[in-house]
Amino acid sequence: MRGKDIVSAFDFERSDLFRLFELAEELRKEIDSKGTLDYARGKVMITAFFEPSTRTKISFQFAMTRLGGLVIDFIEEVSSLRKGETEEDTMRILDGYGPDVIIIRHSKPFFPHNVKDFVKAPIISGGDGTNEHPTQALLDVYTIWREFGRVDGLTVGIMGDLKYGRTIPSLSYMLTRFNDITIYYIAPKQLQVREEITKKIEGKLNYYLVENVEEVMEKLDVLYVTRLQKERFEDPQEYERLKGSYVITRNLLEKHRKIPIIMHPLPRVWEITTDVDALPQAKYFEQAQNGMYVRAALLKEVLGV
Ligand code: NCD
């Protein structure tokens, strides 16, 4: 994957995924025992985030630092964007200094796809609007693989804001790389998954649209919950109306014979109550930690070090 741009979950082949997961396991051992390594000595990564982030940015920065590389952070709020410079010119300038890789997040769908055509450094998308978040899918599927020792044959419920959440398309696309997968998309009608997404997975896995999680709970190996994407709602009243239309509580889970593993890309707002955190099936904090190791594996591959 040396020098490759990563802007979609479809940029990963099945073989890439297994290689990255194995490499993440090796790096986990090395980092946990030695701290900072020196694979990426002298290499420079820029994080250019035009939208808020905690996990994605910091885990990429940690991953690069643990590989022994250097990190430059572009901060929009104090940049010349405030003087009217275009984002495209900003990207040209950042690229001109010769970074070895650039991580981009933007609220405009396809922003990373557009800039990759004139930026020389490899681009890794850290999320583009409602479109995709390919490295989130990487850590999601890595977490599933670690949990079950496989991904083939699993049944995954994806619940919440399936209309605006960008982690959902990427996770769905990445799951097409595995065999015999079933996805249940669980959401009220107004928030169901967009057709442009299901079109891309048609024939590659089984999927069903349902409204109520309780109908399918016992079929699920994984329940992946997402927050309502408040900032992407055009009508704030619509957000208020739908708020609380689905909440996972410990009570609700314990009503069932089988509790799936519970995942969430985070930030969690109110859609999983905090009493769920103590259940052994709650994997969301571990999932976030896994992000650092698998992003380190991805950086090592893209940098070719
Ligand atoms: C997600 C995102 O930014 O799309 N956050 C993340 O990177 N873990 C999910 C979200 O914001 O809901």
Side-chain angles (χ1 to χ4, degrees):
M1 304 188 87
R2 185 182 189 142
K4 198 175 160 176
D5 297 310
I6 305 291
V7 295
S8 166
F10 283 126
D11 290 330
F12 298 102
E13 296 298 334
R14 181 180 167 96
S15 56
D16 295 328
L17 295 172
F18 286 118
R19 203 176 54 256
L20 288 167
F21 298 163
E22 300 285 356
L23 181 56
E25 287 304 284
E26 285 167 31
L27 289 172
R28 177 189 299 269
K29 281 190 214 119
E30 277 191 85
I31 290 170
D32 290 357
S33 65
K34 297 184 199 144
T36 298
L37 314 174
D38 61 4
Y39 293 111
R41 186 162 307 272
K43 301 285 181 188
V44 182
M45 174 182 87
I46 299 184
T47 41
F49 279 51
F50 299 86
E51 214 191 33
S53 169
T54 302
R55 277 152 289 271
T56 305
K57 184 155 107 172
I58 303 294
S59 68
F60 262 116
Q61 293 180 338
F62 251 94
M64 187 61 171
T65 304
R66 290 301 187 201
L67 289 174
L70 299 163
V71 174
I72 308 269
D73 190 23
F74 165 80
I75 301 175
E76 187 198 356
E77 287 75 11
V78 290
S79 71
S80 284
L81 285 169
R82 298 286 147 139
K83 305 180 196 166
E85 183 167 60
T86 67
E87 292 161 337
E88 284 72 14
D89 281 359
T90 303
M91 290 311 304
R92 264 188 201 97
I93 298 302
L94 297 181
D95 188 45
Y97 298 133
D100 298 285
V101 61
I102 306 179
I103 319 298
I104 301 186
R105 167 173 288 193
H106 205 289
S107 57
K108 270 192 243 153
F110 301 103
F111 184 78
H113 305 61
N114 298 337
V115 299
K116 80 177 172 41
D117 296 336
F118 61 82
V119 162
K120 288 195 285 309
I123 297 278
I124 302 178
S125 167
D128 58 321
T130 53
N131 180 45
E132 274 209 60
H133 194 346
T135 67
Q136 178 68 43
L138 194 61
L139 73 95
D140 296 339
V141 179
Y142 173 51
T143 301
I144 295 172
W145 174 82
R146 290 194 89 225
E147 199 57 35
F148 294 93
R150 67 185 163 98
V151 182
D152 292 342
L154 295 178
T155 299
V156 181
I158 307 182
M159 173 170 171
D161 188 347
L162 311 184
K163 185 172 172 195
Y164 296 113
R166 60 187 166 206
T167 66
I168 286 115
S170 288
L171 176 59
S172 305
Y173 303 158
M174 195 169 281
L175 287 173
T176 66
R177 299 302 195 218
F178 298 89
N179 304 321
D180 194 22
I181 298 286
T182 303
I183 298 181
Y184 287 98
Y185 291 107
I186 308 158
K189 281 202 179 67
Q190 300 93 315
L191 295 177
Q192 259 301 353
V193 65
R194 300 192 303 270
E195 214 178 280
E196 60 178 279
I197 298 165
T198 51
K199 263 196 203 139
K200 293 194 196 163
I201 60 170
E202 204 67 66
K204 298 184 177 129
L205 45 74
N206 307 310
Y207 71 89
Y208 304 92
L209 274 49
V210 298
E211 274 189 59
N212 183 352
V213 66
E214 301 224 52
E215 291 168 44
V216 294
M217 188 74 87
E218 290 175 18
K219 296 186 182 149
L220 304 179
D221 298 301
V222 177
L223 176 59
Y224 186 96
V225 186
T226 63
R227 76 181 168 96
L228 279 197
Q229 305 278 303
K230 189 175 184 181
E231 69 278 27
R232 306 195 202 283
F233 273 78
E234 277 154 27
D235 174 6
Q237 280 174 357
E238 172 92 343
Y239 174 83
E240 290 305 323
R241 267 198 302 278
L242 288 166
K243 206 174 140 182
S245 62
Y246 61 91
V247 181
I248 294 294
T249 63
R250 189 163 173 147
N251 254 344
L252 179 130
L253 291 171
E254 287 180 340
K255 273 202 277 177
H256 294 273
R257 253 184 313 120
K258 175 184 158 198
I259 302 181
I261 71 159
I262 312 291
M263 295 176 61
H264 191 306
L266 304 179
R268 172 244 316 256
V269 191
W270 40 257
E271 56 286 349
I272 301 180
T273 54
T274 50
D275 58 356
V276 175
D277 300 0
L279 288 176
Q281 290 90 348
K283 296 292 171 193
Y284 26 93
F285 294 119
E286 196 176 310
Q287 183 186 348
Q289 280 177 10
N290 289 340
M292 187 196 56
Y293 299 109
V294 81
R295 285 181 170 125
L298 177 62
L299 286 171
K300 189 170 181 295
E301 286 266 314
V302 169
L303 294 169
V305 295

